[in-house]
Amino acid sequence: MPDMYQTPLQSFFEIVKVVIIALVIAIVIRSFIIQPYIIPSGSMLDTLQVGDRLFVTKFSYGVHLPFVEKEIFSLGEPKHGDIIVFPFPNDKSVDYIKRVEGVPGDVIEIRDKQLYRNGQPVHEDYAIHTDPNMIPRRDNMKPVLVPPGKVFVMGDNRDHSEDSRFWGFVDKDTIHGRAAIIYWSSIDFVNIKWNRIGTILR
């Protein structure tokens, strides 16, 4: 019968090996497959609430190099209505979550809070307006053409969202992924929103 005894040094290296393998697997999963995301604000109400925790599918539109905003190859294009996570164009250290309202070639316009796409009003059950006041740019925006490789995004809570109306388009290559499912929802350890857990996002 072979001797299975390990010296303390051998045991230490076994533990290190297991830890390294676990870290590599975690990095691969987070970089290429799925990433958790927490909703920090109310810009996507009522669709997403503060405290919602989501899984974002990383492979929805393409494969990226880890830690680098560079797409290796494309797996598809964002579609109207997709909820996406991406680095804020004016501060890449901050992630934003918004809904895609315009894809390349679309002409986006806003008239008295109503969104128009290619000259046609867009009927959105998810969009809410809570401020009766009319503010330039937020509630009335001249037509803009979405250029190649870009998307136009907006928050569902239209009167309380900083989005493409204010800071422009999002590069498709920088999109982290598409929000897929709410796996947990709570502001603290007591007030858990059980009815939101498992919600599929569309």
Side-chain angles (χ1 to χ4, degrees):
M1 184 174 180
D3 186 5
M4 301 299 293
Y5 173 77
Q6 288 185 324
T7 67
L9 186 58
Q10 288 175 321
S11 298
F12 172 76
F13 282 124
E14 281 295 319
I15 294 172
V16 170
K17 183 170 68 174
V18 170
V19 170
I20 291 175
I21 292 173
L23 287 174
V24 170
I25 292 173
I27 290 172
V28 169
I29 291 174
R30 187 179 177 88
S31 299
F32 299 107
I33 301 176
I34 200 165
Q35 176 181 349
Y37 183 82
I38 302 175
I39 300 301
S41 71
S43 69
M44 284 293 291
L45 289 171
D46 287 331
T47 306
L48 298 174
Q49 300 180 11
V50 177
D52 282 351
R53 286 154 171 81
L54 323 173
F55 280 135
V56 175
T57 54
K58 303 282 288 185
F59 52 83
S60 298
Y61 310 117
V63 176
H64 293 74
L65 289 172
F67 314 111
V68 179
E69 291 176 5
K70 181 64 177 178
E71 191 175 73
I72 303 173
F73 56 86
S74 177
L75 294 175
E77 298 297 326
K79 299 178 179 62
H80 297 138
D82 284 359
I83 300 173
I84 62 172
V85 173
F86 55 92
F88 177 40
N90 294 338
D91 183 357
K92 299 299 179 65
S93 67
V94 178
D95 285 341
Y96 270 27
I97 184 166
K98 304 292 179 185
R99 190 183 295 271
V100 175
E101 295 294 358
V103 298
D106 284 341
V107 175
I108 301 297
E109 181 183 4
I110 300 171
R111 304 180 214 157
D112 297 334
K113 295 183 184 288
Q114 173 64 56
L115 173 67
Y116 288 80
R117 184 189 299 130
N118 301 322
Q120 299 298 317
V122 180
H123 302 290
E124 309 166 290
D125 295 335
Y126 46 77
I128 63 172
H129 298 275
T130 57
D131 182 3
N133 298 309
M134 289 290 176
I135 298 176
R137 194 68 180 177
R138 186 192 74 176
D139 303 319
N140 284 282
M141 186 185 76
K142 294 180 180 179
V144 295
L145 175 65
V146 182
K150 310 279 188 178
V151 293
F152 187 97
V153 300
M154 299 176 71
D156 290 356
N157 190 2
R158 293 293 158 81
D159 295 336
H160 301 280
S161 172
E162 289 193 8
D163 45 45
S164 289
R165 293 172 291 180
F166 302 98
W167 40 255
F169 306 105
V170 174
D171 290 330
K172 187 257 183 178
D173 285 353
T174 67
I175 297 174
H176 295 320
R178 180 177 61 83
I181 187 172
I182 298 173
Y183 68 87
W184 188 256
S185 182
S186 67
I187 298 176
D188 50 41
F189 293 107
V190 177
N191 300 305
I192 301 171
K193 303 173 185 177
W194 296 103
N195 63 317
R196 297 188 61 75
I197 297 174
T199 300
I200 304 296
L201 299 172
R202 296 181 175 87

